């Protein structure tokens, strides 16, 4: 008897180098019910970094039940309780969505070894979903093209289509469905993971409460930054940072402490809570300053974990 087909893939984290968010879609559009009511149009320059989850998918025989396991890798920088129903994990949802598309069961065992912190705004769940879609297609030999996978991805979350891209950097527009690859800029960032997470839905609700007035995202601004060919930290921005701090006020202190300790540009990624420090050509010395501030007793950084992350280049996503 042949061994079951199995594949291991990496699900990389992302950072938002620029993020513009508009007011939510209205309840009605063009005289009818708007199926996207409440969703926020956005424009974002996203890039993958070398921090990643590990997804192992093994095909099972016809008639066998599927199984999903989610746990933390021993090297995870910020493990937290897996306190959500495994069946609702985005990797499990991605598998079931693919079954719906092909109209039959695709029995698998999916093992997710997480390293990307939950609630950090680094896209861990979305990346897991995209990796699961690719892996299930492979182990079951499905003749589905990439366009079909992208259609499935759109129903799973606004970040999932980006993670199906064959390139590690892109401009994302619409509700996440428009993905335009751009040249990666390379270099390093320092990701600081606070001891709190930010639920995405809560951050968007706070964004609305704070009185967003932009009817359309700043697409041209984001495109210009992404096409500049270099990373200028002082030009980067995140429209959700104030909302994330509204949800978790302690994040304001983390940002200020890192600015004071490093003298570098500091910005949250996505809906938070991860805070990015842009160290230029000196990631090691910047890390030393952060660790010195922590060991010196700066209470604002208590419980924070810092790590140097590399922005991926083309051809590094295997």
């Amino acid at each position: 008897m042949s061994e079951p087909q199995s594949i291991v893939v990496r699900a990389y984290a992302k950072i938002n180098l620029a993020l513009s968010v508009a007011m939510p879609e209205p309840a009605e559009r063009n005289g009818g019910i708007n199926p996207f009511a409440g969703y926020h149009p956005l424009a974002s320059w996203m890039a993958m970094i070398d921090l990643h989850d590990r997804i192992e998918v093994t095909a099972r025989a016809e008639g066998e039940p599927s199984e999903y396991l989610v746990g933390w890798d021993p090297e995870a920088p910020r493990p937290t309780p897996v306190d959500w129903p495994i069946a609702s994990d985005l990797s499990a949802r991605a598998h079931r969505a693919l079954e719906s598309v092909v109209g039959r069961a695709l029995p698998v065992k999916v093992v997710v070894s997480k390293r990307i912190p939950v609630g950090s705004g680094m896209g861990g769940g979305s990346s897991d979903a995209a990796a699961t879609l690719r892996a299930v297609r492979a182990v079951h030999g499905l003749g589905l093209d990439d366009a079909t996978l992208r259609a499935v991805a759109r129903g799973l979350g606004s970040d999932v289509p980006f993670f199906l891209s064959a390139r590690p950097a892109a401009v994302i527009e619409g509700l996440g469905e428009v993905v335009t690859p751009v040249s990666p800029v390379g270099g390093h960032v320092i990701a600081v993971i606070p001891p709190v997470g930010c639920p995405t839905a809560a951050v968007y609700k706070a964004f609305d409460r704070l009185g967003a007035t932009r009817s359309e995202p700043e697409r041209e601004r984001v495109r210009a930054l992404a096409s500049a060919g270099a990373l200028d930290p002082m030009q980067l921005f995140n429209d959700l940072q104030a909302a994330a701090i509204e949800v978790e006020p302690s994040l304001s202190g983390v940002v200020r402490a890192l600015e004071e300790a490093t003298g570098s540009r500091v910005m949250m990624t996505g809906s938070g809570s991860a805070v990015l420090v842009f160290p230029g050509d000196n990631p090691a010395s910047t890390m030393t300053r952060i660790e010195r501030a922590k060991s010196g007793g700066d209470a604002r950084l208590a419980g924070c974990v810092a790590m140097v992350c590399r922005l991926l280049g083309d051809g590094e996503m295997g």
Side-chain angles (χ1 to χ4, degrees), residues 183-189 231 310-313 316:
S183 296
V185 293
H188 295 82
V189 298
L231 191 63
R310 183 172 55 82
L311 280 75
L312 296 183
E316 292 191 280

Side-chain angles (χ1 to χ4, degrees), residues 56-67:
E56 182 175 6
V57 175
T58 304
R60 288 186 161 177
E62 184 177 350
E64 286 192 69
S66 291
E67 182 181 9

Side-chain angles (χ1 to χ4, degrees), residues 7-221:
I7 188 172
V8 175
V9 293
R10 290 180 174 182
Y12 289 100
K14 61 84 176 170
I15 57 174
N16 297 79
L17 297 170
L19 176 57
S20 177
V21 182
M23 293 186 296
E25 287 276 335
E28 295 184 3
R29 183 177 290 280
N30 300 324
I33 296 174
N34 183 358
F36 302 109
Y39 288 89
H40 294 73
L42 55 82
S44 183
W45 177 19
M46 289 187 187
M48 294 185 198
I49 58 176
D50 57 355
L51 176 67
H52 61 84
D53 292 346
R54 179 183 183 274
I55 314 293
E56 182 175 6
V57 175
T58 304
R60 288 186 161 177
E62 184 177 350
E64 286 192 69
S66 291
E67 182 181 9
Y68 313 110
L69 301 173
V70 180
W72 287 98
D73 185 275
E75 297 182 357
R78 172 65 70 191
T80 50
V82 180
D83 56 2
W84 59 91
I86 301 304
S88 69
D89 190 85
L90 267 171
S91 60
R93 290 172 53 196
H95 170 240
R96 293 196 301 271
L98 204 55
E99 288 182 322
S100 296
V101 168
V102 301
R104 61 182 175 90
L106 301 168
V108 290
K109 179 179 180 180
V110 180
V111 180
V112 180
S113 298
K114 294 193 67 63
R115 294 182 69 217
I116 304 170
V118 173
S120 64
M122 302 175 85
S126 295
S127 189
D128 294 347
T132 300
L133 290 176
R134 293 195 304 269
V136 173
R137 177 176 66 175
V139 300
H140 276 286
L142 303 178
L144 300 177
D145 58 18
D146 289 345
T148 301
L149 284 194
R150 287 194 294 270
V152 176
R154 285 197 293 271
L156 294 168
S158 61
D159 287 347
V160 183
F162 166 67
F163 288 110
L164 284 175
S165 174
R167 298 185 66 189
V171 170
I172 313 302
E173 299 179 62
L175 299 179
E177 77 280 7
V178 181
V179 180
T180 305
V182 297
S183 296
V185 293
H188 295 82
V189 298
I190 296 174
V192 178
I193 313 300
V196 294
C198 286
T200 301
V203 172
Y204 274 99
K205 288 180 180 177
F207 178 80
D208 294 339
R209 287 197 306 271
L210 290 174
T213 58
R214 187 179 295 123
S215 60
E216 295 290 337
E218 295 182 282
R219 299 181 183 90
E220 293 305 323
R221 181 184 180 190

